[in-house]
Amino acid sequence: MELIGESVSVLDRRESTSVPLDQLMSRIDGRMFIEGNPRYDDARRVWNALPDGRPTAIIAPASIKDVVEAVQFSRKHDLVVSAKGGGHGIAGGAVRDGGVTIDFNRWKAVTIDPTNRVARVQPGVTWGEFDSASQEFGLATPGGKLSSVGVAGSSLSGGIGWLARKHGLAIDNLRSVQMVTGAGRTVRARAAENADLFWGARGAGALLGIATEFEFELHPVGTVIAGMIGYPIDAGEEVLDFYQEFITSAPDELTSIAMLTHGPDGKKLVGIAVTFSGDLQSGHRTLARLRSFGSPSIDMIGEMPYGLFQKELAKMAPAGLNRAVKSAFVRNLGRDLIEHLIAVYVDAPTNDTTILIEHYGGAVNRISAEATAYPHREAELNLIVDVGWHRQSSPGTARSWLSSAWRTLRPHLSQAAYVSFLDADDAGRGEEAYGRANFSHLRELKRLYDPSHILATYPDFRTDVPEQNAVQLASA
């Protein structure tokens, strides 16, 4: 194997003890990055610039054997271990202080079986790369509303995409997943094999193992109608009122997001982004009502190949910014909530601040809450408040605005939350992320598949505590 760094005796930041990395080096065929070389910083970089985790070692595995060795080494030396796929996780859980990161950056294979409509995908693939491969055959699967989002991280937590209302979540289209569990075993999980792990992997996979391969069902998807229509912020309340009424009768083919954001000219606006995947004539009729509402300042909705819209939206959420996020589900956009949304956004501190209102429903809601670890099957809307700022800017204003905005909005939201949008500050929301029954089941699976509790997740959902305190978390 190849060592990238200056030393093989590294101090574990948690325990202040020397970790014998030479033992791990001798057992893997891939590369190891440690502190002391500029390439180490490149290897630990993730989409959100705010997290600054400094792992003891970053492993670029050459094979599944290397993943097993890294997990077993971490168990022996009581190190947290995490996986870095697309590196898009908002909280930066892929790179943890004093831990071992398994970096799948070069595991990029996507194999499409167009006859059986099945895709096999390695964990370093992004949804943009996945779509590029599957669209050659006019196929796709739900997952990722930005092309830069990783397949692995999003799929292990749920996978919300532009086909969700028609075809469900990414996990609803997952046929099997191969994992190295926290116990150091290589396991293939599917409905008829290791069904308990398959249940947990669909929504809480990062709690149970390191995914090394996914198998997805594919659907015919060709040209779609997609894009965004935007209105001046002064029309915000009327637009969001209309949006709530519009989505109430939306067909499953239409997935949409309302957003408070900034236009190319830097002015605040209220936008509605859409993707209609189905009969195009029907789609144009459905969207005609939206496009004729009010006096939009921009209208970029049109026919395009599926996946192109994801790439365009990714430009609105570039890598390298500091980002902080708050999120919770909400049943509907009531008048009070709409007024508060507009009021807090008027004072948004940066042009990289966005409030998103994602519409779920459809096929997502036609699966029971207990069928997968992801429990939020009755949720209609997900609210996300995302503030971004450049490193040279003062973070105090951005963080202060987010705290104030969240205090204003929180009373109008449910307690339930999607785990992908939780961060280290959301340590007490384990039951809110998984529901009481599902979280209890996950505690049992955790004892079976990660008995040493070495798998690093953000937030740090502790499952090795007494039942009455199951949703309380301890900082790692």
Side-chain angles (χ1 to χ4, degrees):
M1 62 83 59
E2 179 185 0
L3 172 69
I4 310 296
E6 296 179 350
S7 171
V8 296
S9 181
V10 180
L11 197 66
D12 178 354
R13 291 169 179 260
R14 295 185 311 155
E15 302 294 341
S16 299
T17 58
S18 182
V19 178
L21 292 179
D22 55 336
Q23 295 180 14
L24 179 57
M25 277 189 351
S26 67
R27 300 184 66 87
I28 67 173
D29 300 315
R31 297 178 296 167
M32 179 187 295
F33 300 86
I34 62 177
E35 197 160 4
N37 186 287
R39 294 174 67 183
Y40 169 82
D41 285 330
D42 290 339
R44 71 185 184 90
R45 185 172 293 116
V46 292
W47 175 76
N48 183 5
L50 185 60
D52 191 34
R54 309 190 75 86
T56 293
I58 301 173
I59 307 299
S63 64
I64 293 176
K65 179 187 78 70
D66 286 355
V67 179
V68 172
E69 294 290 353
V71 170
Q72 292 180 344
F73 179 87
S74 298
R75 289 190 69 198
K76 180 177 180 180
H77 297 282
D78 192 28
L79 301 173
V80 294
V81 62
S82 59
K84 180 185 173 188
H88 209 284
I90 187 69
V95 286
R96 298 288 297 273
D97 272 354
V100 173
T101 293
I102 302 173
D103 185 359
F104 290 109
N105 181 56
R106 296 182 181 274
W107 287 41
K108 292 283 193 180
V110 181
T111 303
I112 305 298
D113 177 351
T115 302
N116 295 305
R117 295 181 181 172
V118 173
R120 286 183 175 271
V121 188
Q122 289 188 324
V125 174
T126 65
W127 281 110
E129 293 163 341
F130 180 103
D131 291 335
S132 293
S134 63
Q135 281 287 279
E136 289 187 17
F137 303 94
L139 300 170
T141 204
K145 286 185 173 174
L146 301 176
S147 60
S148 55
V149 170
V151 170
S154 63
S155 295
L156 293 175
S157 58
I160 308 295
W162 290 108
L163 302 176
R165 285 178 46 78
K166 186 175 182 180
H167 296 299
L169 306 175
I171 59 172
D172 301 330
N173 295 272
L174 185 64
R175 293 166 57 109
S176 72
V177 59
Q178 181 175 269
M179 305 185 83
V180 176
T181 68
R185 295 174 50 232
T186 302
V187 178
R188 173 74 66 175
R190 65 185 88 215
E193 180 184 7
N194 297 304
D196 58 346
L197 179 59
F198 189 54
W199 178 91
R202 288 175 293 164
L207 285 169
L208 306 174
I210 306 293
T212 55
E213 186 183 67
F214 300 84
E215 185 181 56
F216 291 100
E217 179 181 355
L218 295 168
H219 304 275
V221 179
T223 299
V224 300
I225 306 172
M228 187 179 80
I229 190 167
Y231 303 81
I233 192 69
D234 291 345
E237 292 186 16
E238 291 80 4
V239 174
L240 292 182
D241 274 335
F242 169 79
Y243 180 70
Q244 174 61 65
E245 191 271 332
F246 177 68
I247 61 177
T248 300
S249 58
D252 289 356
E253 290 83 0
L254 178 63
T255 297
S256 63
I257 302 177
M259 60 181 71
L260 305 179
T261 186
H262 289 76
D265 59 1
K267 292 181 179 179
K268 295 182 175 67
L269 59 82
V270 180
I272 299 175
V274 300
T275 294
F276 187 97
S277 55
D279 177 75
L280 296 180
Q281 289 187 348
S282 176
H284 284 299
R285 288 193 298 270
T286 298
L287 292 171
R289 184 161 168 257
L290 168 62
R291 302 179 74 179
S292 63
F293 174 79
S295 301
S297 54
I298 57 172
D299 184 344
M300 300 183 293
I301 297 174
E303 296 182 12
M304 64 185 70
Y306 175 76
L308 177 59
F309 190 41
Q310 289 176 311
K311 295 178 181 179
E312 292 302 312
L313 284 182
K315 296 176 183 177
M316 298 175 62
L321 292 179
N322 295 284
R323 292 185 179 275
V325 171
K326 291 297 180 184
S327 177
F329 288 107
V330 59
R331 182 166 295 279
N332 58 65
L333 291 176
R335 166 49 56 178
D336 287 346
L337 176 56
I338 288 174
E339 291 178 356
H340 286 307
L341 285 169
I342 302 300
V344 299
Y345 195 72
V346 166
D347 295 324
T350 72
N351 284 2
D352 295 295
T353 298
T354 304
I355 296 179
L356 303 173
I357 304 155
E358 298 182 321
H359 183 213
Y360 290 5
V364 177
N365 292 18
R366 288 194 281 272
I367 295 176
S368 72
E370 295 78 25
T372 62
Y374 174 92
H376 308 296
R377 298 298 183 168
E378 295 182 358
E380 288 290 331
L381 299 169
N382 186 36
L383 179 72
I384 306 159
V385 183
D386 177 3
V387 57
W389 66 94
H390 293 276
R391 186 169 295 277
Q392 62 268 27
S393 304
S394 170
T397 301
R399 286 184 173 278
S400 176
W401 176 87
L402 179 61
S403 297
S404 176
W406 195 243
R407 284 194 303 271
T408 298
L409 299 174
R410 196 70 182 93
H412 304 281
L413 310 176
S414 78
Q415 296 300 312
Y418 180 35
V419 68
S420 281
F421 296 116
L422 301 184
D423 62 20
D425 294 333
D426 292 306
R429 302 181 69 184
E431 190 170 290
E432 296 174 14
Y434 293 111
R436 183 180 297 275
N438 284 9
F439 194 67
S440 178
H441 190 187
L442 285 171
R443 291 175 67 243
E444 299 172 3
L445 295 181
K446 186 74 168 177
R447 284 191 287 267
L448 178 63
Y449 290 105
D450 183 24
S452 300
H453 294 268
I454 63 166
L455 290 168
T457 62
Y458 264 137
D460 285 307
F461 294 135
R462 289 293 300 274
T463 56
D464 58 339
V465 293
E467 184 75 35
Q468 64 269 25
N469 296 321
V471 301
Q472 299 301 316
L473 313 177
S475 300

